[in-house]
Amino acid sequence: SQASSSSSSSTRELYPGHRPLTMLQKSLLSVAAGVGAVAFPHRADLVGAVGETTGWYALRRMRDRMRRDPTGRDILRRRPRITDDFLERCHALPEGTFGGAYARFMGRRKFNPDDRPPVRFVDDEELAYVATRSREVHDLWHVLFQCPTTVQGELALKALEFAQTGLPMAALGAAIAPIRLDASRRRFLFEEMYPWARRAGARAADLMCLDYEGEIGTDLAELRHKWRITPAPKQPKEAPRSN
């Protein structure tokens, strides 16, 4: 069965960069990386390791949904990548376009797509691509949903990601990491951002079955309407305290 292939295939390298692990090694890695990811959420390698070692069944469901969708099937066949070359194409586009907005978002963060850590611990070559695709389109989701890269924004987008994909790591981060926020931001997260994430995740098109590369020249507002995207709420600025 496919489920058993997760353990039987872990004795040989299935794709470039694959790190075969036994079930015990995976369990230990998921616990250690999970603790590290909560303590250091900026460590993309730790966050990725937890997602890869705990997400087998969610990745299968995502892959199966993609196979049933015409665009999803085409993505699995072509296997496009969000790379520095893709970002360069977006830099040439006007600001109001999806690609132009993405280029400016990445420029403000001083981040390059090729800097993302590769998938290493998924014991299936096709599922490894699904995990890679999910990781690479994350920043495009920030742009579409106008979700900031603050701790609040990242946690809300993780909750939306869980609503869409069912990946356990997304739920873990959304549940545990809010302890890092002060009371005001934590309240806004639970009362506004998380309810928005559930609604927006349920309303939007399947984010794994979208041809992002083919829409970079499309007006961003039109694309949000086409894909049923609901932008994130913004926390009102606190009024300055009077002396």
Side-chain angles (χ1 to χ4, degrees):
S1 66
Q2 286 187 344
S4 63
S5 69
S6 173
S7 57
S8 64
S9 65
S10 60
T11 58
R12 59 191 177 89
E13 186 174 305
L14 301 174
Y15 50 87
H18 177 222
R19 293 285 301 277
L21 298 176
T22 65
M23 289 303 295
L24 176 60
Q25 289 172 326
K26 276 190 178 181
S27 300
L28 294 173
L29 176 61
S30 64
V31 172
V35 172
V38 171
F40 307 101
H42 60 282
R43 286 282 303 274
D45 57 334
L46 296 177
V47 175
V50 180
E52 294 168 36
T53 53
T54 63
W56 175 261
Y57 292 103
L59 290 170
R60 283 180 58 188
R61 289 192 294 270
M62 292 160 64
R63 188 269 315 277
D64 292 346
R65 287 204 317 271
M66 293 176 76
R67 285 178 173 178
R68 291 192 295 267
D69 181 90
T71 302
R73 278 197 306 274
D74 186 57
I75 290 169
L76 288 175
R77 180 183 60 81
R78 292 187 296 111
R79 300 198 178 182
R81 299 290 305 273
I82 304 296
T83 63
D84 286 359
D85 289 340
F86 172 79
L87 179 58
E88 278 301 311
R89 299 207 314 271
C90 291
H91 272 299
L93 295 170
E95 188 170 354
T97 62
F98 177 39
Y102 169 71
R104 284 153 186 79
F105 170 83
M106 297 294 277
R108 288 194 301 272
R109 292 182 65 201
K110 295 180 171 56
F111 186 72
N112 294 316
D114 287 355
D115 292 338
R116 286 200 174 277
V119 170
R120 296 179 293 164
F121 304 113
V122 177
D123 293 332
D124 180 279
E125 191 263 346
E126 186 175 46
L127 296 185
Y129 173 73
V130 174
T132 297
R133 181 70 171 175
S134 174
R135 186 173 297 178
E136 290 182 349
V137 298
H138 176 85
D139 290 317
L140 296 172
W141 296 352
H142 271 288
V143 173
L144 285 168
F145 290 98
Q146 286 185 309
C147 215
T149 54
T150 59
V151 173
Q152 258 180 327
E154 291 289 358
L155 291 176
L157 198 59
K158 281 294 178 190
L160 188 150
E161 181 181 351
F162 178 69
Q164 276 264 331
T165 68
L167 284 169
M169 180 55 206
L172 177 68
I176 297 178
I179 60 175
R180 301 170 58 84
L181 296 171
D182 62 36
S184 171
R185 289 183 174 86
R186 191 160 56 241
R187 184 167 54 250
F188 183 76
L189 179 68
F190 280 98
E191 294 179 358
E192 299 291 338
M193 296 291 275
Y194 279 173
W196 161 79
R198 288 192 297 271
R199 293 192 303 269
R203 179 175 182 265
D206 189 334
L207 299 175
M208 291 297 295
C209 296
L210 298 179
D211 180 16
Y212 299 101
E213 293 85 351
E215 299 283 1
I216 58 175
T218 303
D219 178 81
L220 182 56
E222 291 180 12
L223 199 57
R224 287 186 177 128
H225 178 74
K226 176 181 177 181
W227 288 343
R228 305 188 301 278
I229 301 295
T230 306
K234 291 180 172 56
Q235 182 170 12
K237 293 183 179 178
E238 295 183 6
R241 295 178 180 176
S242 56
N243 295 329

